[in-house]
């Protein structure tokens, strides 16, 4: 089973453009709720569709978003950050804007200086 070394990617490049703008948690590149459709695609590629790895990667973001998005229901935040992980991306999750943002470059890292998760 292949493992993705997502923690080895630099915090710059095309993927960093689709990082979160905080505390509103919108994508800095397209303005959609983060993670946007492009970032989801990038993360699925980066994690090679390993749902557990993907959820482990997103959990610290989810924790921060739960604190910072005070006007959003916790169930909605959880769905937005983790609900899409085990579904094909052509099946929208509750947090996806209509139409999405169309696609993106291969992931190279995450904007915002998020620490690497231990394996």
């Amino acid at each position: 089973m292949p493992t993705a070394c997502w923690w080895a990617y630099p915090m710059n490049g095309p993927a960093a453009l689709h990082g979160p703008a905080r505390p509103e948690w919108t994508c800095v590149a397209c303005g959609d709720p983060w993670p946007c459709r492009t970032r989801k695609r990038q993360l699925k590629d980066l994690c090679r569709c390993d749902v557990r790895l993907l959820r482990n990667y997103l959990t610290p973001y989810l924790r921060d978003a739960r604190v910072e998005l005070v006007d959003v229901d916790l169930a909605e935040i959880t769905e937005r950050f983790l609900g899409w992980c085990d579904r094909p991306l052509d099946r929208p999750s509750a947090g996806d804007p209509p139409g999405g943002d169309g696609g993106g470059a291969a992931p190279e890292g995450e904007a915002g200086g998020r620490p690497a998760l231990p394996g």
Side-chain angles (χ1 to χ4, degrees):
M1 180 159 116
T3 57
C5 295
W6 48 266
W7 58 85
Y9 288 85
M11 301 284 184
N12 57 23
L17 297 176
H18 286 274
R22 297 174 61 180
E24 57 278 342
W25 290 91
T26 57
C27 176
V28 296
C30 62
D32 288 341
W34 194 89
C36 65
R37 188 170 294 265
T38 296
R39 193 63 188 139
K40 289 175 183 178
R41 234 180 251 116
Q42 293 168 340
L43 289 170
K44 280 221 175 196
D45 288 345
L46 187 61
C47 293
R48 299 185 180 143
C49 297
D50 182 331
V51 174
R52 187 172 41 182
L53 182 63
L54 188 54
R55 287 181 181 219
N56 285 341
Y57 177 82
L58 288 166
T59 296
Y61 290 100
L62 173 63
R63 283 189 209 119
D64 290 351
R66 283 180 168 171
V67 172
E68 295 174 1
L69 293 172
V70 294
D71 294 333
V72 182
D73 180 65
L74 293 178
E76 184 179 334
I77 295 171
T78 302
E79 171 64 21
R80 177 173 152 186
F81 280 75
L82 301 179
W84 59 273
C85 292
D86 59 353
R87 290 194 296 259
L89 288 179
D90 58 347
R91 189 171 149 212
S93 68
D96 283 341
D101 65 317
E108 291 185 24
E110 192 61 64
R114 199 72 194 148
L117 297 174

